[in-house]
Amino acid sequence: LADSAGQVAKGDKSHGGDFSYVGIDAILEQMRRKAMKQGFELNIMVVGQSGLGKSTLMNTLFKSKVSRNKSVQTDPEERIPKTVEIKSISHDIEEKGVRMKLTVVDTPGFGDQINNENCWQPIMKFINDQYEAYLQEEINIERKKRIPDSRVHCCIYFIPPTGHCLRPLDVEFMSRLSKVVNIVPVIAKADTLTLEERDSFKQTIREELRANGIDVYPQKEFDEDAEDRMINDKIREMIPFAVVGSDQEYQVNGKRILGRKTKWGTIEDITGSIHYETYRVRRLNESNPHLISQPPNHLDANGVAPQHAALSREM
Ligand code: GDP
Ligand code: MG
């Protein structure tokens, strides 16, 4: 403690460069400055059928073209995606001096087939692959100072605004994936529902999530104390979030704003503490002598076939 406080005092402007200052608050300041300098990594995955507004919402949230639609046309046969693709696009964004490396992982093709039975598989595989990559870095003897983090911190699942109920595909995807990643279910294009329809749809979905044992973000494990619990309960009441995205800018009271208003909740990171830990414990407990060299295929109880995922990375 004395050591880190001492380090802070050296460059700490808030105490007028007074090197003799030692206080616990100095640690907070040091952490803040370190975090600001390093920046944050946020990896968001969007899942849902084509046309539900995934790309638009990402652009709305981050006020720039963070998500692009591939407009490359290939031969007619390839125009219909045979399986789910996984595409990552990374951006360095900065807001009020805080740097963030944002990666949006898009999953075009999900739910677009006539038979969508296994389209959760490549997504599950991708998420587990990122945990595995992180684990391999972590158990390396020559550990990197900062492990590149490609783990999916949050998976936004787009529910079509039907106003009826969840489809079997929605239930299957969220049941399976909520065990490995933070799922944030959203009602896509919520502006197409009336307020009454929206509220009753939300309620139906909440009941269905409960009935199917689907544990979405924020999970119970996140309620560390009464205060957390209160905040999380407020978020839980709003689930699924009704979202509206827009690429259009409008002038309102002399301010430029993006068209449709977005209702949005806070997303905090428990990927590292819960989902990754679960993965890590399970992997390390296997005490598999081939741990270092072997791909994780054998651990996947869900029978994920690796060839399903086509990963392309654009930096
Ligand atoms: P994606 O295939 O899920 O990425 O969907 P896009 O973001 O490409 O959006 C598909 C179409 O829906 C576009 O014409 C958008 O302008 C429109 N759209 C996107 N978000 C919304 C929304 O919140 N409400 C309405 N009404 N239309 C939207
Ligand atoms: Mg898109």
Side-chain angles (χ1 to χ4, degrees):
L1 187 129
D3 198 37
S4 42
Q7 274 175 17
V8 164
K10 270 181 209 163
D12 191 356
K13 290 178 189 80
S14 64
H15 297 285
D18 176 4
F19 290 92
S20 64
Y21 180 81
V22 176
I24 293 175
D25 62 320
I27 295 169
L28 277 182
E29 175 59 18
Q30 181 193 31
M31 286 166 75
R32 192 189 68 85
R33 284 192 304 119
K34 206 169 182 180
M36 296 271 280
K37 215 185 290 169
Q38 282 194 332
F40 299 90
E41 280 181 316
L42 180 64
N43 305 323
I44 296 183
M45 178 185 253
V46 289
V47 181
Q49 259 161 283
S50 297
L52 286 182
K54 299 182 298 294
S55 304
T56 309
L57 185 70
M58 287 301 104
N59 296 338
T60 309
L61 282 175
F62 300 104
K63 287 191 189 154
S64 62
K65 297 271 175 205
V66 293
S67 187
R68 271 170 283 156
N69 282 315
K70 270 261 157 65
S71 54
V72 226
Q73 285 286 336
T74 37
D75 70 44
E77 268 199 345
E78 277 187 35
R79 217 175 287 163
I80 307 148
K82 292 198 181 57
T83 179
V84 181
E85 283 178 89
I86 296 177
K87 293 189 157 85
S88 301
I89 301 178
S90 293
H91 294 263
D92 287 305
I93 54 180
E94 193 174 329
E95 201 176 283
K96 293 180 185 136
V98 183
R99 293 194 305 126
M100 185 166 84
K101 186 182 163 220
L102 171 74
T103 301
V104 176
V105 184
D106 201 355
T107 55
F110 177 89
D112 292 345
Q113 260 66 221
I114 291 170
N115 178 357
N116 291 305
E117 223 174 294
N118 295 324
C119 59
W120 54 271
Q121 287 186 349
I123 296 174
M124 171 84 85
K125 164 128 192 349
F126 177 84
I127 289 169
N128 278 328
D129 283 352
Q130 311 317 306
Y131 287 140
E132 180 66 18
Y134 196 88
L135 178 64
Q136 290 301 331
E137 290 285 357
E138 204 185 42
I139 59 181
N140 230 331
I141 305 212
E142 305 261 323
R143 245 195 204 208
K144 287 198 181 96
K145 239 194 189 155
R146 200 169 177 214
I147 300 173
D149 191 1
S150 61
R151 297 171 300 176
V152 177
H153 300 121
C154 160
C155 170
I156 304 181
Y157 186 76
F158 287 69
I159 300 163
T162 59
H164 300 295
C165 55
L166 292 176
R167 303 161 306 165
L169 172 66
D170 304 325
V171 173
E172 166 135 59
F173 181 86
M174 289 192 280
S175 299
R176 292 185 184 273
L177 274 291
S178 61
K179 305 214 164 54
V180 296
V181 71
N182 297 318
I183 300 276
V184 176
V186 300
I187 299 172
K189 299 185 173 181
D191 56 314
T192 61
L193 297 171
T194 66
L195 288 178
E196 290 81 20
E197 286 168 341
R198 197 187 294 182
D199 284 344
S200 86
F201 193 31
K202 274 184 168 222
Q203 203 172 327
T204 308
I205 293 171
R206 275 197 298 270
E207 278 159 20
E208 285 187 288
L209 290 175
R210 212 172 306 129
N212 288 285
I214 300 170
D215 201 9
V216 297
Y217 178 86
Q219 298 86 328
K220 296 172 290 297
E221 291 91 333
F222 204 60
D223 297 346
E224 280 182 15
D225 55 37
E227 197 196 346
D228 284 349
R229 201 202 159 122
M230 213 181 64
I231 296 166
N232 291 337
D233 279 346
K234 281 220 180 86
I235 297 174
R236 288 175 187 124
E237 279 168 28
M238 295 193 276
I239 280 169
F241 299 111
V243 298
V244 178
S246 174
D247 281 342
Q248 290 285 309
E249 277 196 355
Y250 294 99
Q251 291 271 351
V252 176
N253 299 331
K255 267 192 187 166
R256 288 193 317 157
I257 62 143
L258 283 172
R260 306 177 187 112
K261 213 178 156 191
T262 304
K263 215 176 175 190
W264 193 245
T266 24
I267 302 164
E268 286 183 68
D269 179 13
I270 61 163
T271 298
S273 58
I274 296 177
H275 294 304
Y276 175 67
E277 278 311 309
T278 310
Y279 181 89
R280 187 173 177 276
V281 166
R282 192 178 52 172
R283 277 287 274 146
L284 296 178
N285 276 347
E286 284 172 349
S287 59
N288 185 333
H290 308 298
L291 183 65
I292 315 273
S293 58
Q294 197 171 304
N297 303 354
H298 63 290
L299 65 92
D300 206 330
N302 297 301
V304 172
Q307 64 272 19
H308 281 285
L311 166 67
S312 78
R313 227 167 229 286
E314 292 175 48
M315 291 295 176

